[in-house]
Amino acid sequence: MTNWRPDPSLITRPAYRSLTSAIIHAVETGELKDGERLPTHRQLAYDLDLSVQTVSRAYEELTRRGVITGTVGRGTFVSASNVEKHTPYLPDRQSGAIVDCSLLKPVFGQMHIDLMRKTLGELSEGLPSDVVSSFRPIPAMSKYIHAAREWLSYCGLPQQHHPPLICNGATPAMTIAIMTAADPGELILAEELTHHTLKPLVDYLGLRVRGVKTDRNGMLPDALRTMCQRQKVRAIYLMPTGLNPRAMTMSLARREELIAVAREFNLLIIENDSSGPLQIDRPPPFAALAPDLTLYFTSLSKCIMPGLRVGFLVAPDAIAPKAANRHLVSNWMATPLVVEIAARWIEEGVAHDLMLWQRGELDTRNQIARTALSDISFNSSRNGMHLWLPLPESWGETDFVTHARSLGVAVAPGRSFALDEGAVERGVRVCIGAPAEQDLNNCLTKLSRLVRAPSEQALHDI
């Protein structure tokens, strides 16, 4: 059994929530490790001068959230692994009656299901044989290159000599881009808050990653230059347009400044543009401004349909064969049936129409957010799927996330996106695409009150 105990002086009312937060914090900081046995309900109640019912209620909440697990006759054990504890979204098994504003999803409706059923019906009547018989990547994917290039043109990319790589979504494209940009042991730099899978992926590939200081406009060029002067850097990873945790869109001037530093130090740029053309009036992507330096990837799942797992990767001509090889050894090729559907929708204009519909829906939801959160500071983009909610000094991330869930709202803690612990502002990511509009308004109203709650007593009134 672990010797860990929370400091009794830090347990505040309501005590079960405070105890829940303390145990989660201990798991996240490594004080409590996966598999460790926790004290019995009665023992912990005695140690903290709490009732057994209070400890039981905290343990029930932790069990519901997947942090601990109990076995009759054996005890209660920590069950959150190092990977899972940093996952920003709420696992399905924990959802229950909670409205999930933690998972980044586009708006989804019945028309998406109807369109997919219609397309699958058409395929059942006239399925091209090579969709199910092709085994070699080049013949299988070459027929879809025109559709891929058409979609990339919506994203603002010029056509390059080498064809884009078609992948099973943004995550495989991201993996290929990183494997192409750097070799084991080399260093990649990214913004302080970045994609939550970047660090584990880089670790798995034997690479290194560090965060660069940022402001409200993204990575600071001077900070990047200083780090490059001190050590050898191979590439920078950027999410410049709306989809980054802080929901900011980098200006054209800042993009040009970063490109100048990249040229100065011979850096490659990995550009994550997974939401593609959703953002209106956005600056050109890095891949258009510096195509010789940029590995660019985007996908259809964020702006068309969650289940349409198709991504496109564009690499500089000089390293395009290397990227193709990395794609071959890690994925072989994208799934032809899914790519067939995506290509049809692009060529028939369905994909473009769905993207425009998504823009409108997200615009409406961002208007809801501006109304519900009118009296507090937050950051968002006009057609973004989430907002960034900074927290006041009175709130820690763990406590805020815990209290929000007790009110029926799941949000993602900012630390899930941080490369360096304690290096960035505290805040939470609130995703607005998945909930129904009425649920979203209710959730944002609760969060607004929670941010402004001056004391634990105020929490009882929310």
Side-chain angles (χ1 to χ4, degrees):
M1 182 181 297
T2 178
N3 293 321
W4 175 87
R5 298 291 190 279
D7 184 347
S9 66
L10 299 179
I11 302 298
T12 57
R13 299 181 63 83
Y16 87 92
R17 290 180 180 169
S18 185
L19 179 57
T20 298
S21 296
I23 293 175
I24 290 173
H25 180 72
V27 172
E28 291 171 342
T29 58
E31 293 179 76
L32 280 173
K33 302 187 185 310
D34 192 27
E36 283 194 294
R37 184 180 178 185
L38 292 173
T40 64
H41 298 211
R42 189 172 301 279
Q43 182 62 52
L44 193 56
Y46 176 80
D47 292 343
L48 300 178
D49 194 23
L50 299 172
S51 70
V52 174
Q53 290 81 0
T54 296
V55 175
S56 296
R57 191 173 179 187
Y59 276 21
E60 287 171 3
E61 172 65 14
L62 291 164
T63 300
R64 184 183 66 79
R65 293 170 59 180
V67 177
I68 64 175
T69 183
T71 304
V72 176
R74 294 187 62 238
T76 303
F77 299 84
V78 176
S79 63
S81 68
N82 289 334
V83 173
E84 185 177 13
K85 73 184 182 186
H86 288 297
T87 300
Y89 53 82
L90 187 70
D92 288 341
R93 71 172 184 272
Q94 298 180 16
S95 57
I98 291 177
V99 178
D100 191 358
C101 294
S102 66
L103 184 62
L104 195 63
K105 289 180 63 176
V107 185
F108 183 81
Q110 181 62 41
M111 73 171 191
H112 294 91
I113 298 174
D114 293 341
L115 279 169
M116 182 59 76
R117 285 173 174 165
K118 178 177 180 292
T119 301
L120 291 174
E122 292 170 351
L123 283 171
S124 70
E125 297 296 329
L127 182 68
S129 61
D130 55 358
V131 170
V132 291
S133 64
S134 294
F135 190 71
R136 296 183 181 275
I138 294 177
M141 293 295 112
S142 59
K143 61 180 288 191
Y144 304 121
I145 295 302
H146 179 269
R149 281 179 164 152
E150 182 176 348
W151 186 259
L152 289 167
S153 71
Y154 298 147
C155 301
L157 263 69
Q159 184 169 309
Q160 292 189 304
H161 173 69
H162 286 276
L165 296 176
I166 303 175
C167 312
N168 285 320
T171 300
M174 173 179 167
T175 302
I176 296 162
I178 292 173
M179 292 172 66
T180 304
D183 294 325
E186 292 187 316
L187 176 64
I188 294 175
L189 300 180
E191 290 158 324
E192 293 171 305
L193 290 180
T194 187
H195 198 281
H196 71 278
T197 65
L198 177 62
K199 191 176 189 309
L201 175 59
V202 165
D203 289 343
Y204 299 151
L205 295 175
L207 303 168
R208 296 176 294 133
V209 63
R210 289 189 59 192
V212 181
K213 289 184 178 180
T214 62
D215 62 11
R216 294 295 180 179
N217 200 16
M219 183 180 286
L220 290 166
D222 288 343
L224 173 61
R225 180 176 285 105
T226 297
M227 293 185 73
C228 290
Q229 289 170 341
R230 293 175 177 172
Q231 55 197 317
K232 176 65 175 175
V233 178
R234 188 67 192 97
I236 55 175
Y237 178 95
L238 300 169
M239 302 175 69
T241 310
L243 204 62
N244 53 80
R246 285 196 178 105
M248 65 84 186
T249 294
M250 188 183 292
S251 69
L252 174 59
R254 177 62 59 85
R255 295 175 192 228
E256 291 174 336
E257 289 179 273
L258 290 173
I259 289 170
V261 178
R263 294 197 183 282
E264 180 181 349
F265 292 94
N266 193 30
L267 308 178
L268 288 171
I269 299 169
I270 302 170
E271 182 176 12
N272 180 342
D273 191 29
S274 295
S275 59
L278 274 182
Q279 293 295 326
I280 295 175
D281 299 327
R282 66 186 199 148
F286 280 86
L289 299 170
D292 58 319
L293 300 180
T294 307
L295 290 125
Y296 169 98
F297 64 92
T298 188
S299 74
L300 300 181
S301 60
K302 287 291 190 293
C303 47
I304 302 301
M305 181 187 292
L308 198 62
R309 310 300 299 180
V310 177
F312 306 118
L313 171 65
V314 176
D317 285 343
I319 57 174
K322 181 179 180 181
N325 176 265
R326 300 300 185 270
H327 184 25
L328 188 69
V329 300
S330 60
N331 294 270
W332 189 253
M333 67 177 176
T335 305
L337 180 60
V338 181
V339 181
E340 173 73 22
I341 295 170
R344 288 188 180 207
W345 283 7
I346 293 172
E347 291 167 351
E348 295 170 0
V350 174
H352 189 262
D353 290 344
L354 288 174
M355 183 271 293
L356 294 178
W357 179 87
Q358 190 69 220
R359 273 184 183 173
E361 289 296 310
L362 290 173
D363 189 14
T364 298
R365 286 159 184 264
N366 277 280
Q367 291 178 36
I368 293 172
R370 287 191 291 272
T371 299
L373 304 175
S374 60
D375 56 345
I376 61 176
S377 175
F378 69 96
N379 193 44
S380 66
S381 56
R382 177 177 171 182
N383 307 103
M385 278 173 268
H386 73 285
L387 57 90
W388 173 257
L389 187 62
L391 297 180
E393 290 297 326
S394 57
W395 278 111
E397 283 184 0
T398 298
D399 284 342
F400 187 88
V401 170
T402 299
H403 285 299
R405 287 185 182 178
S406 72
L407 298 172
V409 187
V411 295
R415 65 178 176 276
S416 299
F417 312 100
L419 289 177
D420 303 305
E421 290 289 338
V424 294
E425 66 177 296
R426 290 171 300 106
V428 294
R429 187 187 72 176
V430 185
C431 301
I432 61 177
E437 287 186 13
Q438 185 58 51
D439 288 339
L440 176 64
N441 185 68
N442 292 337
C443 289
L444 293 175
T445 300
K446 290 177 181 179
L447 294 177
S448 175
R449 293 173 180 169
L450 193 60
V451 167
R452 293 180 284 108
S455 65
E456 287 289 343
Q457 180 59 42
L459 298 175
H460 296 288
D461 301 326
I462 296 177

